[in-house]
């Protein structure tokens, strides 16, 4: 997607320096800064500190981390250590383990001297596949939006609500939940997007920055506003992303997603989840009991980051000093609250049957 007229992916390989370039998302939407990742520690830190974030982007970054590790030392022991270090960075988004396992499966059988080239080729492939997956999710999501638009008076916008940032910044390009929005806007279907601020880290501001740069009509709202808007008929469709979806279609996503799904259910608002197949965890059925939920720094709750009138980025405390805070970063929406899953192969029910019919090859592979 474009930033000030230049097309960017959220990461790119610099062939001259043999380094991975990332957008350091800690400073967005106030400042656009890029960073080169030179060492395995740089990769791990970038993921831990959420310089890169969002399930698909974390996976693609980890794949490039394995490519760097293979270039430095392609031995089994070094690659195993790199796998462990990267896998320990964040616990919930399954794309991380998916990408690391794919690297391990590809590299292990190869002679040591072929591993570095193969690892870089694979990282490029994972990044390119992510872009194509998200483009396809957008094409299927666009059909949903068109259906709703067709039932409205001509020119009246389809009003979508989204939570967190499942945009191009959270993927390699397009985004998952935002891809249908970009494609609808580009196709001339009028839309308006309600963007949840998504405390504590306010990833909604990233979504606002993205959609605003693309000229998409939007309103940034507090996390608590969605239920009210739905009760008053102001939301036609909810689309969120996901960090891990189980084989029975339970959806783990940013904290607060579950409450939006409950409100959508109570108000008969369709609740869809944009789901790339690498985000499916075929090893887990019940998401509530089986998905590890990241417990983040309580300082994210007690403090907020913003920009001062003089343009400086600063952090302010909002709670009384020494207030004890708790910060679970994700929640699980049970499949019964999910209207459907928008995947790169089409839209299916949030159920084991729906996912198995859509991905028979993947469910077979997972059983091996
Ligand atoms: O904690 P983050 O910012 O990495 O979480 C991101 C989200 O929860 C996104 O909504 C999710 O990863 C989907 S990304 C396409």
């Amino acid at each position: 997607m474009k930033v000030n007229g230049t097309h960017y992916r959220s990461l790119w390989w610099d062939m001259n320096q043999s380094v991975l370039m990332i957008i350091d998302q800690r400073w967005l939407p106030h400042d656009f800064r890029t960073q080169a990742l030179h060492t395995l520690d740089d990769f791990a830190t970038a993921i831990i500190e959420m310089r890169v974030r969002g399930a698909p982007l974390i996976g693609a970054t980890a794949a490039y981390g394995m490519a760097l590790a293979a270039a430095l030392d392609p031995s089994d022991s070094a690659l195993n250590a790199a796998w462990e270090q990267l896998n320990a960075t964040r616990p919930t988004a399954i794309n991380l383990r998916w990408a690391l396992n794919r690297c391990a499966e590809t590299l292990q059988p190869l002679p040591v001297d072929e591993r570095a080239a193969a690892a870089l080729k694979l990282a490029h492939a994972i990044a390119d596949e992510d872009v194509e997956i998200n483009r396809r999710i957008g094409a299927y999501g666009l059909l949903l939006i068109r259906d709703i638009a067709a039932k409205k008076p001509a020119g009246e916008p389809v009003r979508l609500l989204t939570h967190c940032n499942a945009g191009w910044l959270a993927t390699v390009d397009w985004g998952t939940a935002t891809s249908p929005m970009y494609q609808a806007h580009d196709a001339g279907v009028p839309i308006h997007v309600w963007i949840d601020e998504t405390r504590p880290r306010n990833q909604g501001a990233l979504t606002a920055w993205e959609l605003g740069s693309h000229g998409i009509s939007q309103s940034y709202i507090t996390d608590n506003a969605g239920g009210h808007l739905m009760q008053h008929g102001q939301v036609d469709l909810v689309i969120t992303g996901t960090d891990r979806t189980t084989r029975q279609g339970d959806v783990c996503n940013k904290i607060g997603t579950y409450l939006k799904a409950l409100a959508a259910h109570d108000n008969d608002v369709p609740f869809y989840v944009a789901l790339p197949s690498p985000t499916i965890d075929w090893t887990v059925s019940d998401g509530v009991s089986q998905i590890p939920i990241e417990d983040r720094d309580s300082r994210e709750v007690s403090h907020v980051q913003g920009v001062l009138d003089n343009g400086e980025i600063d952090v302010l405390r909002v709670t009384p000093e020494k207030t004890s805070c708790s910060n679970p970063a994700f929640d699980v929406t049970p499949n019964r609250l999910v209207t459907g899953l928008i995947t790169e192969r089409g839209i299916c029910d949030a159920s084991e049957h729906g996912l198995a019919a859509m991905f028979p090859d993947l469910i077979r592979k997972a059983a091996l």
Side-chain angles (χ1 to χ4, degrees):
M1 289 287 150
K2 286 197 171 152
V3 180
N4 299 328
T6 304
H7 180 265
Y8 280 91
R9 283 183 170 186
S10 57
L11 49 64
W12 62 98
W13 184 252
D14 180 327
M15 279 191 297
N16 297 323
Q17 297 185 72
S18 290
V19 292
L20 185 71
M21 298 299 299
I22 60 161
I23 299 165
D24 185 345
Q25 299 190 21
R26 291 173 304 167
W27 308 107
L28 287 175
H30 310 300
D31 199 6
F32 185 81
R33 300 185 195 176
T34 61
Q35 188 198 342
L37 305 183
H38 295 274
T39 67
L40 196 59
D41 283 347
D42 286 347
F43 277 82
T45 303
I47 300 173
I48 291 167
E49 293 187 350
M50 294 175 66
R51 299 172 192 214
V52 290
R53 40 148 300 282
L57 182 58
I58 292 170
T61 306
Y64 279 103
M66 289 302 289
L68 176 103
L72 293 175
D73 179 353
S75 66
D76 283 346
S77 59
L79 290 181
N80 288 341
W83 191 101
E84 294 291 347
Q85 183 177 357
L86 291 168
N87 188 50
T89 50
R90 291 193 70 187
T92 302
I94 196 63
N95 303 56
L96 175 63
R97 196 178 72 199
W98 171 86
L100 290 172
N101 283 347
R102 193 164 157 195
C103 293
E105 281 159 23
T106 305
L107 301 183
Q108 245 158 20
L110 294 180
V112 169
D113 62 344
E114 290 177 18
R115 288 177 175 175
L120 185 58
K121 194 170 160 205
L122 178 59
H124 290 327
I126 286 174
D128 289 345
E129 282 169 25
D130 181 67
V131 177
E132 178 57 14
I133 284 173
N134 299 331
R135 190 193 65 75
R136 293 173 71 97
I137 285 174
Y140 287 113
L142 171 60
L143 300 177
L144 285 177
I145 296 174
R146 277 196 194 281
D147 268 359
I148 296 170
K151 294 181 190 119
K152 284 176 168 274
E156 204 172 278
V158 176
R159 294 149 312 171
L160 297 109
L161 183 142
T162 193
H163 192 70
C164 195
N165 171 255
W168 70 267
L169 290 166
T171 64
V172 179
D173 208 348
W174 284 106
T176 57
T178 57
S179 184
M181 301 171 194
Y182 287 126
Q183 295 196 36
H185 178 81
D186 292 351
V189 182
I191 61 168
H192 180 84
V193 184
W194 303 107
I195 303 171
D196 289 349
E197 63 177 346
T198 319
R199 279 281 289 147
R201 287 185 72 108
N202 296 337
Q203 284 97 331
L206 303 178
T207 306
W209 181 74
E210 278 193 24
L211 298 186
S213 307
H214 204 80
I216 294 179
S217 165
Q218 52 163 289
S219 302
Y220 189 69
I221 54 174
T222 64
D223 287 324
N224 300 322
H228 165 80
L229 293 171
M230 290 184 212
Q231 268 180 337
H232 289 269
Q234 300 288 305
V235 181
D236 299 307
L237 173 66
V238 180
I239 307 181
T240 73
T242 170
D243 295 84
R244 188 187 301 215
T245 289
T246 70
R247 62 188 291 147
Q248 71 178 21
D250 291 347
V251 171
C252 182
N253 193 49
K254 180 59 53 193
I255 193 80
T257 304
Y258 171 46
L259 287 176
K260 293 299 141 61
L262 282 170
H265 187 73
D266 197 41
N267 291 284
D268 288 328
V269 174
F271 183 96
Y272 282 86
V273 174
L275 170 67
S277 60
T279 309
I280 305 169
D281 185 349
W282 298 103
T283 69
V284 161
S285 280
D286 179 56
V288 176
S289 64
Q290 291 179 284
I291 296 180
I293 300 296
E294 181 172 8
D295 198 14
R296 293 194 62 83
D297 190 350
S298 62
R299 196 177 151 85
E300 291 180 350
V301 180
S302 57
H303 290 66
V304 286
Q305 176 174 292
V307 68
L308 304 174
D309 285 344
N310 66 8
E312 260 177 52
I313 294 173
D314 212 342
V315 174
L316 295 178
R317 177 166 48 79
V318 289
T319 56
E321 245 183 314
K322 296 187 184 141
T323 300
S324 160
C325 303
S326 173
N327 190 13
F330 298 92
D331 61 25
V332 174
T333 299
N335 58 7
R336 68 187 162 80
L337 298 175
V338 179
T339 312
L341 302 168
I342 312 170
T343 79
E344 70 268 27
R345 293 192 192 170
I347 298 175
C348 68
D349 285 348
S351 66
E352 180 146 358
H353 180 261
L355 280 170
M358 195 59 84
F359 297 104
D361 49 334
L362 300 187
I363 203 162
R364 256 196 315 275
K365 181 167 179 264
L368 294 176

